[in-house]
Structure formats: structure tokens, C-alpha cells
Amino acid sequence: VSVNNLTINSQNSVLAFKASNSSDSNGCDSGYTIKNLTIGGNVINIPENAFGYCGLENLTLSEGLETIGEASLNSNYLLSEIIVPSTVTTIGNNSLNLDGITLIKNKTGKAFDWKFIFDSYSSEYEDSHEPFETGGFLYDGKTITITK
């Protein structure tokens, strides 16, 4: 199933989507793809593995969201930008992947440990990911910019 636009406005809807379309390890492993996903303001938690491998190109996270669960948005290789709402307090390990992302707007004012958010930390990380003093880091020769 391929969906151009999906808006999820309640926590129960997130849980229902996850239950019907994902396994414990992959969000869209049942052949589901979503081009544009909006997580509405009544959703406070994106659960672990909810929207991984969904083919996301655009993602809107609304104010009110507090937690982005572990591996919840990973392996969406066409996603180039993410805006983290000011209400987010927790971002789980391996939540995102860096293959497509070039810009992260972090509206929280909080300094997250991005190396864990993008990858499960390993010694390889230090060799291929060089943090900048301000505003981002390199990933496989590509600059990832982090702004407020």
C-alpha cells in the first residue's frame, strides 16, 4: 500500500498503525509506504519502530510531541530535513539515519547526543563522524547542519 499523505492526530492512531503495519523491528515491513507524514499535536509519543522503512520524504512533527522512540523513524532514506519541536524531551537511540538528512532544526534548546540518535554508537562512529565545534558534524563526507 502506498500513501501520499498521512496525518495521525491521536496517540491511539499511532499505536493502531504500528500494530497493523509493523513488526518489532521495522515500521513499514508489510509493504506500506508513506510519502508525507504529519504527526499531530495530540500525539505525545512516537513508539519504538513505528515508522521505520516507510519511504518518508517529508515529515512534520507537531508541538506537543514529547518522545521520539528508539528506531521509530530510521531507514527513511529520502528524508532530508527534520524539525524537532520544542516540546520534545527524549529522542531514542537509532531513531534516524543520516543517509538523506542534511538539516536538523532542533527547536528544543536541548543538546541531544546525536551520535546515538543516528547510529547505535560504535567505534566506527568516531572514524566516520567528525563533530564540529558548532552546528553539526560530517557524515561520510557530507555536512549535517544542526540549527535552532
Side-chain angles (χ1 to χ4, degrees):
V1 175
S2 181
V3 175
N4 255 351
N5 300 297
L6 177 64
T7 299
I8 296 184
N9 285 315
S10 74
Q11 193 65 50
N12 287 339
S13 296
V14 171
L15 297 174
F17 177 87
K18 183 177 185 302
S20 64
N21 296 296
S22 66
S23 68
D24 287 337
S25 60
N26 299 324
C28 287
D29 65 353
S30 63
Y32 213 96
T33 60
I34 306 166
K35 185 174 181 180
N36 303 296
L37 175 64
T38 298
I39 302 293
N42 292 325
V43 176
I44 59 169
N45 175 32
I46 302 174
E48 181 176 323
N49 300 314
F51 298 101
Y53 298 90
C54 286
L56 297 177
E57 293 181 26
N58 298 292
L59 174 66
T60 301
L61 302 174
S62 298
E63 292 293 323
L65 181 66
E66 296 174 5
T67 302
I68 301 171
E70 186 171 321
S72 61
L73 297 165
N74 70 347
S75 300
N76 285 294
Y77 303 110
L78 300 175
L79 190 61
S80 63
E81 177 180 313
I82 185 165
I83 300 172
V84 181
S86 66
T87 52
V88 170
T89 58
T90 304
I91 304 176
N93 290 350
N94 203 28
S95 297
L96 302 168
N97 64 292
L98 288 173
D99 291 327
I101 292 179
T102 57
L103 177 64
I104 301 160
K105 292 182 183 176
N106 180 10
K107 294 185 172 186
T108 68
K110 182 176 179 181
F112 292 103
D113 195 342
W114 295 105
K115 67 180 175 269
F116 288 104
I117 290 167
F118 287 113
D119 285 309
S120 296
Y121 188 74
S122 70
S123 59
E124 294 174 22
Y125 184 93
E126 292 184 21
D127 295 336
S128 64
H129 304 67
E130 301 172 27
F132 296 156
E133 291 298 317
T134 59
F137 49 91
L138 293 176
Y139 175 78
D140 294 338
K142 178 178 67 175
T143 302
I144 309 298
T145 304
I146 300 175
T147 67
K148 294 180 182 178

